[in-house]
Amino acid sequence: MSNIGLVIEERSRDIGDFLVGRLIPFRKKRMIGPFIFIDHMGPTTLGPKHYMDVDQHPHIGLSTLTYMLEGEIMHEDSLGTKQLIQPGSVNWMTAGKGVAHTERTPKTLRNGTTFTAHGYQIWVALPKELEDMEPSFHHISANDLPRWSDGPASFTLVAGTGYGRKSPVPVYSPLFMVEVKNTETYALNVSGELKGEIGICIVEGTITACGETITKGNIVVSKVQDVCDIVLGRHTHLLLFGGEAFAEERYIFWNFVSSSKEKIARAKEHWRAKTFPMMDSDSSYVPLPN
């Protein structure tokens, strides 16, 4: 998905062991582990005359992780992939040296009815030595993801490793993404269970950390490796994500991510000249922004 106009820089605040902000990147924290961009899609009502139609646009230097909570998206790309993503499944597209794709409401939902679309579009930067790898696409169904429960809390390991488990999503650096839902108040333990930097995306509900209550729509970032327990209010829904940070800085321009400004400059020229890998199945084209 294109990130034009999707990230709003809002004030971030420091509450002790944690930073709090809305989405990433935000001013005090540009990346969390290898995660470099998160877009919260919806929840929004789609239907007649208003559908998702993200035209053909490019990526380099990253993997995109699409995770839907409600609704469906049809993904197509320059590799020839055509994949419907449904709630709970994972679309993992690795751009590497270059891929273009579209994301649209599938034809089956363009039937005059209305429906809710709600999910997350996440970018994971590639290690420097893999930034020019061949692009690839993987779809992992919801039933293939590790799931477990602890008292009133249920867990799904969306990607990476954590809590002694491993997701089948083929990641390229040490990372994790875990979905947590609870029905009653629950003390979430992350110490020793997740390695690296830790981000907590509050989808619904509230958490208490360092004596402060933080509500949905915020991302909480741990500043220390071993944080104290985080208390989830009743009926809370979280995404935990993060991992080991890279040694090198990452640059972002539009949908391009790289440790090299020169690679981004080349990608810009290829997209402008339409010598970038393009789709055979779609002639749409999102121009390079100024």
Side-chain angles (χ1 to χ4, degrees), residues 1-4 6 37 39 52-60 62 64 66 73-78 93 95 98-104 121 123 253-256 267 271 276-279 282-289:
M1 181 171 291
S2 169
N3 71 349
I4 298 175
L6 294 180
F37 176 81
D39 171 34
M52 173 182 282
D53 279 300
V54 181
D55 287 342
Q56 183 171 199
H57 60 277
H59 291 287
I60 65 165
L62 55 79
T64 62
T66 306
I73 296 175
M74 180 61 71
H75 165 102
E76 297 188 53
D77 61 39
S78 54
M93 183 184 74
V99 72
H101 74 134
T102 61
E103 289 161 304
R104 304 190 187 280
Q121 180 79 23
W123 296 357
F253 174 84
W254 192 34
N255 305 307
F256 303 136
W271 185 251
F276 200 90
M278 306 296 285
M279 297 171 59
D282 195 298
S283 61
S284 65
Y285 175 82
V286 178
L288 192 80

Side-chain angles (χ1 to χ4, degrees), residues 15 45 49 54 60 69 72 81 98 130 146 148 172 183 205 238 253 262:
I15 62 168
T45 299
K49 300 181 181 180
V54 181
I60 65 165
L69 306 176
E72 298 179 349
T81 307
L130 295 177
W148 68 100
Y172 298 102
T183 54
L238 304 179
F253 174 84
E262 289 74 20

Side-chain angles (χ1 to χ4, degrees), residues 63-227:
S63 296
T64 62
L65 190 162
T66 306
Y67 193 65
M68 295 299 292
L69 306 176
E70 296 179 82
E72 298 179 349
I73 296 175
M74 180 61 71
H75 165 102
E76 297 188 53
D77 61 39
S78 54
L79 298 170
T81 307
K82 185 173 183 178
Q83 176 64 55
L84 179 68
I85 180 166
Q86 298 174 305
S89 62
V90 176
N91 268 17
W92 178 258
M93 183 184 74
T94 298
K97 65 183 182 181
V99 72
H101 74 134
T102 61
E103 289 161 304
R104 304 190 187 280
T105 296
K107 292 180 180 179
T108 54
L109 291 180
R110 297 175 186 254
N111 55 10
T113 61
T114 60
F115 60 95
T116 299
H118 186 199
Y120 287 84
Q121 180 79 23
I122 296 167
W123 296 357
V124 181
L126 287 167
K128 183 178 180 180
E129 65 274 13
L130 295 177
E131 286 183 338
D132 295 324
M133 68 183 291
E134 291 294 324
S136 62
F137 179 89
H138 295 85
H139 176 82
I140 293 86
S141 69
N143 292 335
D144 292 332
L145 298 175
R147 300 175 186 275
W148 68 100
S149 297
D150 179 37
S154 61
F155 295 75
T156 302
L157 182 60
V158 178
T161 57
Y163 291 90
R165 296 165 173 86
K166 183 177 181 179
S167 165
V169 175
V171 302
Y172 298 102
S173 65
L175 60 85
F176 58 85
M177 179 172 160
V178 184
E179 183 176 32
V180 186
K181 296 180 179 179
N182 66 298
T183 54
E184 301 296 331
T185 302
Y186 177 74
L188 176 69
N189 178 34
V190 296
S191 181
E193 303 290 359
L194 303 172
K195 294 183 179 180
E197 298 182 329
I198 299 173
I200 305 167
C201 178
I202 307 171
V203 182
E204 289 290 343
T206 62
I207 69 170
T208 302
C210 295
E212 291 209 23
T213 298
I214 304 150
T215 56
K216 73 175 185 179
N218 286 295
I219 286 179
V220 183
V221 186
S222 171
K223 298 192 297 182
V224 293
Q225 185 78 14
D226 292 316
V227 298

